[in-house]
Amino acid sequence: CERVSKYAWDEGKTFVNLYITLSGAHDQSYATCTFEGQAFRMRCFGIGGKNYEFAVPNLRHPIDPERSVLAMKPDQVRLKLKKVKCDAKWDALDDSSQVKMDEARAMAKEGASMEELMENMYKNVDDETREQL
């Protein structure tokens, strides 16, 4: 399967919506999605001769799997993730940034040196930011 790396997302009061552009997508019978409490895995088969997968195993907040849905539109797959808590604000789709911040805070509390904190920060940034450092 080819992993989906480009997508858009937004959030409303009750749902987080994901939009994945796949040229040739149109029929929901070619797609499946497994929703779990804080994860999902979407797979599409035979679209333009390719199979696709998009998964987030560590969503930022819990979702309601029973009320989350997959919908197909021409050239687009849409996932609607039902929020468990309507007042939860999603500053990111997954929790990786929060995990990194928690790790840095824990290091600082444990008395890590400035050099260790900088090394940890450098290790956890994307390539573009790393070049700027």
Side-chain angles (χ1 to χ4, degrees):
C1 281
E2 187 172 320
R3 295 202 186 277
V4 172
S5 59
K6 292 186 179 182
Y7 60 92
W9 71 279
D10 64 23
E11 73 172 310
K13 184 175 180 169
T14 57
F15 284 92
V16 173
N17 301 295
L18 289 97
Y19 309 94
I20 304 149
T21 301
L22 294 177
S23 185
H26 65 283
D27 188 344
Q28 197 156 329
S29 65
Y30 292 96
T32 64
C33 193
T34 304
F35 299 101
E36 297 175 10
Q38 209 152 341
F40 71 85
R41 180 180 180 198
M42 184 265 326
R43 298 180 86 190
C44 295
F45 306 96
I47 296 177
K50 295 181 181 179
N51 298 326
Y52 295 92
E53 179 179 65
F54 181 42
V56 177
N58 55 331
L59 289 168
R60 182 73 172 100
H61 295 287
I63 60 170
D64 181 345
E66 299 298 317
R67 297 176 63 196
S68 297
V69 295
L70 164 80
M72 300 284 281
K73 298 197 174 226
D75 298 324
Q76 186 181 72
V77 178
R78 188 173 185 187
L79 301 174
K80 293 184 67 154
L81 309 177
K82 174 68 173 94
K83 293 179 174 181
V84 169
K85 295 181 180 178
C86 292
D87 60 343
K89 297 295 180 201
W90 291 50
D91 55 354
L93 189 57
D94 66 17
D95 69 356
S96 60
S97 62
Q98 185 65 44
V99 168
K100 290 174 188 175
M101 283 179 33
D102 291 346
E103 184 180 293
R105 283 188 185 119
M107 287 178 69
K109 274 186 173 179
E110 293 169 4
S113 69
M114 182 60 86
E115 183 178 334
E116 290 170 323
L117 292 170
M118 292 298 290
E119 184 178 303
N120 182 58
M121 182 181 75
Y122 187 78
K123 175 183 81 174
N124 288 319
V125 298
D126 58 47
D127 290 337
E128 184 178 322
T129 305
R130 189 174 288 123
E131 287 179 17
Q132 293 175 359
L133 293 174

